[in-house]
Amino acid sequence: MNKVGDAKFWADVEALKSEKSGNTPKIDLKEVKAEAKEDGSVAIYIDDAINGFYGIDASTVVKAIHDSKGKAITMYVNSPGGSVFDGLSIYNAMQDHEGDIKVKVTGIAASIASIIALGGKEKPEMSTGTRFMIHNASVFAGGDHRALRVTADLVESITGDLVKIYENITGMDAQSLTDYMDNETFFSAEDAVSNGFATMAVKVEPQNTDTTDSVRAEVLRNLTNCQLQAIK
């Protein structure tokens, strides 16, 4: 067998491989931010992608939920999505939680983050300007026609599971949901509410602390009393 390259050639190849491996980007996932509130509840902030290579480490979200041990949780979601299985692990942890869980979409709940947003005891709260996006599951795949066919069947099955979750929450029929997902639909807060994905956040009006009228009335009463006393 004729070898390709001499000893120096292969030594250079090995050195290059070693150099490249040293330049491989380090996986540096974020730990989810969770904080205890004065009322005993817990706030959890999902403010990045949920992925095995970047963004938030899903296992830290699941741990934060489990560590809350039945306490009320408010989850703030602003995420473009990420790994479907990581997202489903968070959704299932939310479903298993014995305490109350409220979800507030603070920016966007897209892709698998939209499933997480639906993991609370009630529908998520959204405000004008926030977005809710649903689409089909997707994957980067390689292999021959057999491997790709198996992958396609798996991805289609996953999409079908997501449809069921959306269907249970919204009451919408599966075909309508499938059409929305095929078209990768971005819902405004108002559209998400009208389609059954969310509720509109209730704006708390500040209490009227203007005491001008009551002060004016008190001054007039005092002035009148003074005038009456002067007449006497």
Side-chain angles (χ1 to χ4, degrees):
M1 179 182 290
N2 293 325
K3 294 183 65 174
V4 178
D6 57 16
K8 183 178 182 306
F9 171 82
W10 289 110
D12 290 341
V13 169
E14 290 301 320
L16 181 61
K17 286 167 62 178
S18 178
E19 179 184 345
K20 291 295 184 183
S21 64
N23 292 331
T24 301
K26 180 182 177 182
I27 297 175
D28 189 14
L29 298 178
K30 292 167 54 178
E31 183 172 346
V32 74
K33 180 182 177 183
E35 59 184 18
K37 297 296 186 179
E38 291 183 357
D39 60 2
S41 66
V42 177
I44 297 176
Y45 302 88
I46 297 181
D47 56 0
D48 204 338
I50 304 144
N51 198 296
F53 298 97
Y54 59 89
I56 292 175
D57 184 345
S59 67
T60 66
V61 183
V62 172
K63 184 177 185 301
I65 295 170
H66 288 168
D67 287 349
S68 297
K69 299 184 187 303
K71 295 179 181 178
I73 295 174
T74 301
M75 189 170 288
Y76 299 88
V77 177
N78 179 26
S79 173
S83 164
V84 65
F85 293 118
D86 283 351
L88 286 172
S89 72
I90 295 171
Y91 172 83
N92 288 328
M94 295 170 72
Q95 293 290 291
D96 291 340
H97 185 66
E98 294 180 357
D100 184 41
I101 297 185
K102 294 180 180 177
V103 179
K104 296 184 178 183
V105 178
T106 58
I108 188 169
S111 190
I112 196 61
S114 69
I115 293 292
I116 293 172
L118 298 177
K121 304 302 181 185
E122 305 286 343
K123 294 178 182 180
E125 288 186 3
M126 296 182 67
S127 302
T128 298
T130 58
R131 289 291 184 271
F132 192 93
M133 185 274 274
I134 64 174
H135 63 180
N136 295 327
S138 61
V139 67
F140 293 103
D144 64 13
H145 62 282
R146 296 165 300 171
L148 293 175
R149 192 167 290 125
V150 169
T151 301
D153 289 343
L154 174 60
V155 173
E156 186 175 12
S157 174
I158 293 169
T159 296
D161 290 338
L162 302 183
V163 169
K164 291 175 184 176
I165 294 174
Y166 293 135
E167 190 176 7
N168 289 337
I169 297 293
T170 65
M172 200 182 306
D173 64 274
Q175 186 56 56
S176 296
L177 286 163
T178 299
D179 291 342
Y180 278 135
M181 294 169 76
D182 284 347
N183 292 305
E184 191 173 74
T185 304
F186 285 78
F187 296 95
S188 66
E190 291 76 10
D191 288 340
V193 171
S194 65
N195 281 281
F197 290 104
T199 59
M200 208 68 182
V202 177
K203 185 177 181 181
V204 179
E205 296 292 341
Q207 293 183 349
N208 183 11
T209 57
D210 186 2
T211 58
T212 303
D213 291 341
S214 60
V215 170
R216 184 182 293 113
E218 183 66 22
V219 170
L220 288 174
R221 280 196 299 271
N222 291 336
L223 181 60
T224 301
N225 289 336
C226 290
Q227 291 174 340
L228 290 174
Q229 290 176 3
I231 293 173
K232 292 179 181 179

